[in-house]
Amino acid sequence: GMTYDDSEYHITVDVAVNGSALDAVVTVNKLGQGEVDEIVFTNTYTISGDTSVTIAGTKTLTGRPMLNGEFRFKLTQVADAQGTAMENAYTQTAVNGPAAGGTAEIIFAPITYTVPGTYYHELVGVEGEANTGVTYDEDFYIVTVTVSDNNEGGLTSSWSIGTANTFRFENSYRP
């Protein structure tokens, strides 16, 4: 939030009659410092705290029932909307939850941010070795996270993939 400068100034105006005119001499004293040349107030604005986003979407499998935790997904921070790789990039993985009607949720752990800005993450499905007969969705997504100053000393955040805020991976199984 905002921290206001609590400086105090005392202004003295000495007025003297000089013939038919008045002359004024202004003196400015800053409390605790003495005479100064100008009045300056310096306020500071600080953002404290953090904000987080939870990126979530769905996984479908046609051709057989999907098992809880059967499919893995990787979210990796990238430098830009084109997916340019970064050194020491933040990465996390998630697995699908229980399926209902061939569709399961994928929910990544919350990602915390402490600085306003735009952040990018590449989201991909990870092929499993044990899933013989499964054709994997080769799509990948660029997730855009926008972290903003709420003008009250805190942060807000949102995420999107293009104009949506969800994703969907579709796999199929053939024995």
Side-chain angles (χ1 to χ4, degrees):
M2 185 69 71
T3 302
Y4 295 96
D5 187 332
D6 62 356
S7 298
E8 290 184 33
Y9 293 88
H10 294 263
I11 302 168
T12 305
V13 180
D14 290 318
V15 179
V17 176
N18 183 4
S20 62
L22 296 176
D23 287 334
V25 176
V26 178
T27 306
V28 178
N29 288 290
K30 184 173 183 179
L31 191 63
Q33 256 187 303
E35 190 171 332
V36 294
D37 293 331
E38 61 184 345
I39 296 173
V40 177
F41 290 99
T42 304
N43 298 333
T44 56
Y45 180 77
T46 306
I47 297 173
S48 61
D50 55 35
T51 185
S52 64
V53 295
T54 301
I55 297 169
T58 59
K59 170 72 165 186
T60 61
L61 177 64
T62 56
R64 70 166 173 79
M66 185 181 342
L67 302 173
N68 184 19
E70 178 177 7
F71 296 99
R72 288 184 341 123
F73 307 88
K74 184 167 81 169
L75 187 68
T76 304
Q77 186 174 6
V78 293
D80 53 36
Q82 289 70 45
T84 305
M86 295 174 58
E87 282 190 40
N88 304 314
Y90 172 84
T91 299
Q92 70 164 280
T93 59
V95 296
N96 63 281
T103 300
E105 284 190 315
I106 304 160
I107 303 173
F108 284 91
I111 304 170
T112 302
Y113 299 89
T114 58
V115 177
T118 302
Y119 301 87
Y120 302 96
H121 300 273
E122 182 180 70
L123 174 59
V124 296
V126 179
E127 290 192 26
E129 295 173 15
N131 288 332
T132 305
V134 173
T135 301
Y136 282 82
D137 187 333
E138 294 181 4
D139 286 344
F140 70 93
Y141 299 94
I142 298 295
V143 178
T144 302
V145 177
T146 304
V147 178
S148 303
D149 177 351
N150 69 3
N151 295 319
E152 295 176 5
L155 297 170
T156 60
S157 57
S158 63
W159 69 274
S160 64
I161 297 172
T163 58
N165 64 349
T166 190
F167 60 89
R168 180 183 183 127
F169 286 100
E170 299 177 358
N171 291 0
S172 60
Y173 171 76
R174 223 196 255 169

